[in-house]
Amino acid sequence: MMMKRTSDFDTVGVRSFYDDTAATYARMMDREIDLPMYRTLLARLHERIAGLDGDLVDTSCGSGQMLAMYHREFEPERFLVAADLSEEMVVLAGERLPESAQRIVADMRDLGAVDEGSAAGVLSFFALHHLPEDQLQETFAGWARLLVENGLLMLATWEGTGLVDYGEEADITAYRYTQADIERHLKAAGFRIERSVVAPVEGLPMDGVYIDASVRREHTTT
């Protein structure tokens, strides 16, 4: 899959930021993964994809806690694919995931290393804010390519308008999107919205938008 309009995404800056903060991020997520939110989300994912063949792909896996929890508590037999732009994050994810899991250093906009139609589920949690809006639809279409028929994308990102303020932590640009904007781009990329809610994020002054969306491919008959 060819990537377009990459000039608005500071690939080097974002990668460098997460490489530099990977260890701190991992420690934070080791604590945060025990919040009820994650178990609830992953339980819903398990219920939804339990009858589907295919892998579980995390498009921006960070230090791997979500995939590790899913493997440990819900489906130890499902094959996991952990992708992240940051090599340091992928290394840390590997420490938490089973040896059988595939680990890929890759841009979430270009997951060509993952086979088409190989995933029952795709995850994207709080990474989409790094993309400018004109890259959302193409990115979503790439994720749709990975999913089997009726496979599920489970997505979370910062809800609202304007930029995310990193303060003095980083000199990178990050965007907030409204629930309606995310839904619109998902539908244009071929997804059907199954669930969409906006909810506060514990300990932060921003809301998150949480969306489950599925792929239904058109079938032709002869």
Side-chain angles (χ1 to χ4, degrees):
M1 180 176 67
M2 296 297 293
M3 292 187 295
K4 301 177 182 178
R5 300 177 66 92
T6 59
S7 59
D8 292 329
F9 179 32
D10 180 11
T11 306
V12 174
V14 172
R15 179 187 289 119
S16 177
F17 172 72
Y18 285 106
D19 280 344
D20 292 345
T21 60
T24 301
Y25 178 90
R27 289 192 294 270
M28 178 197 72
M29 281 302 300
D30 283 339
R31 298 187 300 270
E32 187 173 308
I33 196 67
D34 291 326
L35 291 173
M37 174 189 76
Y38 290 101
R39 188 167 281 100
T40 298
L41 290 167
L42 293 176
R44 189 171 74 248
L45 174 66
H46 172 234
E47 181 178 2
R48 176 59 176 72
I49 69 172
L52 298 177
D53 292 331
D55 308 334
L56 177 58
V57 179
D58 194 333
T59 63
S60 300
C61 67
S63 42
Q65 282 85 353
M66 288 192 69
L67 286 180
M69 174 179 275
Y70 190 86
H71 172 79
R72 182 177 65 251
E73 299 194 13
F74 298 102
E75 283 192 289
E77 68 281 3
R78 193 176 293 275
F79 187 73
L80 307 175
V81 180
D84 201 277
L85 184 65
S86 163
E87 184 174 0
E88 291 297 322
M89 287 292 195
V90 173
V91 169
L92 292 174
E95 296 175 358
R96 291 162 173 80
L97 297 175
E99 291 186 3
S100 60
Q102 182 180 8
R103 297 175 292 279
I104 306 169
V105 178
D107 190 318
M108 62 181 159
R109 298 171 298 170
D110 185 6
L111 296 176
V114 182
D115 290 340
E116 181 174 352
S118 65
V122 169
L123 295 173
S124 174
F125 267 70
F126 296 104
L128 200 66
H129 55 276
H130 293 300
L131 300 185
E133 186 170 1
D134 60 15
Q135 295 181 21
L136 294 183
Q137 184 176 323
E138 187 174 2
T139 299
F140 293 158
W143 297 348
R145 177 191 69 85
L146 306 180
L147 285 164
V148 300
E149 174 74 11
N150 204 31
L152 188 73
L153 167 66
M154 186 170 275
L155 178 153
T157 192
W158 301 115
E159 204 277 340
T161 58
L163 301 179
V164 177
D165 183 8
Y166 275 78
E168 297 180 356
E169 291 185 26
D171 185 23
I172 54 177
T173 301
Y175 308 87
R176 297 167 67 188
Y177 295 111
T178 67
Q179 181 182 28
D181 284 339
I182 296 295
E183 290 184 8
R184 175 168 53 85
H185 288 297
L186 283 168
K187 290 174 182 177
F191 281 98
R192 181 176 65 90
I193 307 300
E194 294 192 359
R195 183 178 186 272
S196 181
V197 299
V198 174
V201 176
E202 185 174 336
L204 292 172
M206 296 184 291
D207 290 341
V209 55
Y210 300 86
I211 297 177
D212 299 350
S214 60
V215 170
R216 295 286 176 86
R217 304 194 190 332
E218 294 183 4
H219 297 281
T220 57
T221 57
T222 58

